[in-house]
Amino acid sequence: MAGALSLLSVPAETLFPPAQASEVASPGGAHEDAAPPAAGEAPKAGEEAPQQAPALPPAPPLYREVRELQRLQDSMAVGGPGALPAQNALIGQIDQLFRAADASAWNDPQNARALVIFALSGGGPGVLRAVLGKSATPNIDERLLRGSLAYLEGREPEALKQLGEVDMRSLPDSLAGQVALAQAALWVRRDPARAAVLLGRARLIAPGTLVEEAALRRAIFIAAQADELGTFERLTATYLARFRHSVYAGNFRLRFAAALTRMSFIDKPDEFHRINDLLAPLEPASRREIALMVAQGAVGQGKKIAAERAADLVLKGAVFGSLEADRATLYRAAATVASPERFTESQTELAGLAGERFAPDDVRLLGAAQAVAASILHAVDVPAPAPEEATPAADASVAASPANAADTGPPPATLAKAQAALATADQMLGDAPL
């Protein structure tokens, strides 16, 4: 028993020494069962010392830094506080690390994939050129390297030739999503339907990430350009439900409003309610922000109904006298000032607005709308021509006419000039830069 207990006190390394290299592979083709010389034992006479290849240092795990970058970017997709400045700082660090890495580091396929992911995730083309300039041969499909570099440098034909031929379904998910986004950007002008398919694949590959957020944004604008209202509504609902706090949401709202003003449904009074439905997931302030953008864009495009309805959406929730309310009033009045039934009200509203509160674009719009109002007023103030002499019978006939019995409008000359002013009103408002 004492002997057994004494064995327990012996370190495990003594009882089971570490495996030697010769235990894994028998050098020189020696029989597998041949016992290797003991550690520190001199070779027997006539025998040569076993030759061992010098161990190469392992490649530095550069890919770990890119994984951290992806984690930060995924946080940006849901509005993580501080994620954007942290991402920018990390991109700078990774750029320096990759540029300083030895060419042999890119023999590791994980590092090679990380290089392409980093370049497509914000690292830019410079890091790719720096690595390739060291005569490095990253262990990855060369089309990914050359195609990504061409894409980032704006050489679309070369990028399509290289990157466009890569089947993103054969790539690891961490890389495939970024490649799909790049391929969609290359195809969007040539074949929007194909670009939409690639964006759909990117969303499936990387759910909940910044890749999905970017894919959704781009797919929404493709649907808007094609005037596919059903797809547009479905994708918008998904984006606003999941990514409305993204760091890119501000840019999205601006482009979203511009896209809305170009869709056909917005000019149909009985379908304008769809905008309310689309914006329902947003907070009231965000809804008013987008409605203001829609109203501004609609005025510039001469879409009076859309501008008026969108401005009314804002005025229902805006604080009276606020800049937000004044901007909505400006867009509504500018859209309706050339309308005979709304002229008086619109002209009064325009006269009550203080131009110094507005941004330069709105100041120019206010000036254009006030010029339209002034031109209409000037046309109405033209003196009426003297009435021509008529026979008593003719006077009696005209007076008895039901159509003229209650006619108290301006004379024909005044109407002609007013109509001429109205004819130029849309052009004046449309020419106002927004």
Side-chain angles (χ1 to χ4, degrees):
M1 177 64 72
L5 291 175
S6 64
L7 287 176
L8 295 178
S9 64
V10 178
E13 291 82 358
T14 304
L15 293 176
F16 305 103
Q20 303 296 317
S22 56
E23 293 177 6
V24 179
S26 50
H31 194 276
E32 292 180 356
D33 295 333
E41 180 181 334
K44 297 180 181 179
E47 292 183 356
E48 295 183 359
Q51 300 294 323
Q52 295 183 355
L56 294 175
L62 302 176
Y63 57 86
R64 292 181 182 174
E65 302 296 328
V66 175
R67 288 179 181 173
E68 175 62 16
L69 175 63
Q70 290 178 308
R71 185 192 68 79
L72 273 174
Q73 290 180 334
D74 294 344
S75 176
M76 289 165 53
V78 293
L84 182 58
Q87 174 214 236
N88 296 338
L90 184 56
I91 284 178
Q93 295 173 12
I94 296 176
D95 184 86
Q96 294 179 5
L97 182 65
F98 280 17
R99 289 173 186 265
D102 186 79
S104 62
W106 308 111
N107 294 333
D108 185 339
Q110 293 188 90
N111 286 344
R113 288 194 295 269
L115 173 64
V116 176
I117 294 171
F118 174 66
L120 295 176
S121 300
V127 67
L128 285 176
R129 284 214 168 272
V131 170
L132 295 176
K134 292 183 176 181
S135 300
T137 55
N139 189 6
I140 197 172
D141 188 339
E142 187 177 1
R143 295 176 301 171
L144 284 169
L145 287 171
R146 304 293 178 184
S148 297
L149 181 60
Y151 164 70
L152 293 170
E153 291 182 340
R155 295 181 282 115
E156 290 192 6
E158 178 66 16
L160 270 174
K161 180 180 178 182
Q162 298 284 346
L163 196 61
E165 296 300 322
V166 175
D167 184 359
M168 43 81 67
R169 293 172 295 183
S170 66
L171 303 174
D173 290 351
S174 59
L175 176 58
Q178 291 290 351
V179 170
L181 287 179
Q183 290 177 330
L186 291 170
W187 281 109
V188 67
R189 282 187 293 273
R190 294 170 175 82
D191 189 346
R194 181 171 182 174
V197 170
L198 288 166
L199 292 173
R201 291 177 180 172
R203 292 175 54 206
L204 291 174
I205 289 171
T209 68
L210 190 63
V211 168
E212 185 193 10
E213 190 268 355
L216 261 176
R217 275 190 284 119
R218 299 175 190 184
I220 287 170
F221 301 134
I222 290 176
Q225 185 176 8
D227 205 23
E228 296 177 353
L229 181 56
T231 302
F232 178 81
E233 289 178 318
R234 175 173 51 82
L235 294 177
T236 297
T238 301
Y239 184 89
L240 294 180
R242 300 181 57 197
F243 298 113
R244 65 180 180 276
H245 299 300
S246 165
V247 297
Y248 298 107
N251 176 266
F252 167 78
R253 288 194 290 269
L254 183 62
R255 296 186 61 195
F256 176 75
L260 272 175
T261 61
R262 288 172 171 80
M263 299 189 73
S264 60
F265 84 93
I266 202 170
D267 290 324
K268 302 174 182 176
D270 57 338
E271 291 192 13
F272 193 85
H273 67 88
R274 291 177 180 269
I275 290 185
N276 273 331
D277 298 338
L278 285 171
L279 303 183
L282 294 176
E283 296 76 11
S286 295
R287 289 200 297 269
R288 294 195 300 272
E289 178 188 10
I290 293 179
L292 268 179
M293 295 177 188
V294 171
Q296 185 186 43
V299 169
Q301 296 178 45
K303 299 185 176 182
K304 300 176 183 179
I305 294 176
E308 184 179 2
R309 296 286 184 88
D312 285 340
L313 286 180
V314 178
L315 290 170
K316 287 179 181 178
V319 176
F320 178 78
S322 65
L323 178 59
E324 188 179 52
D326 281 359
R327 288 182 64 198
T329 300
L330 168 61
Y331 302 146
R332 182 178 66 181
T336 58
V337 68
S339 172
E341 59 273 10
R342 293 290 305 273
F343 170 75
T344 301
E345 178 184 355
S346 299
Q347 189 269 338
T348 302
E349 289 179 340
L350 289 170
L353 295 173
E356 62 271 13
R357 300 190 68 188
F358 296 135
D361 288 347
D362 286 346
V363 171
R364 288 189 286 269
L365 176 62
L366 176 60
Q370 288 175 335
V372 171
S375 66
I376 296 174
L377 281 174
H378 177 72
V380 174
D381 288 340
V382 173
E388 297 180 0
E389 293 185 3
T391 63
D395 288 341
S397 174
V398 172
S401 171
N404 291 293
D407 186 4
T408 60
T414 302
L415 284 176
K417 290 196 174 186
Q419 288 169 353
L422 292 175
T424 60
D426 289 342
Q427 181 177 355
M428 292 178 66
L429 292 175
D431 289 342
L434 297 176

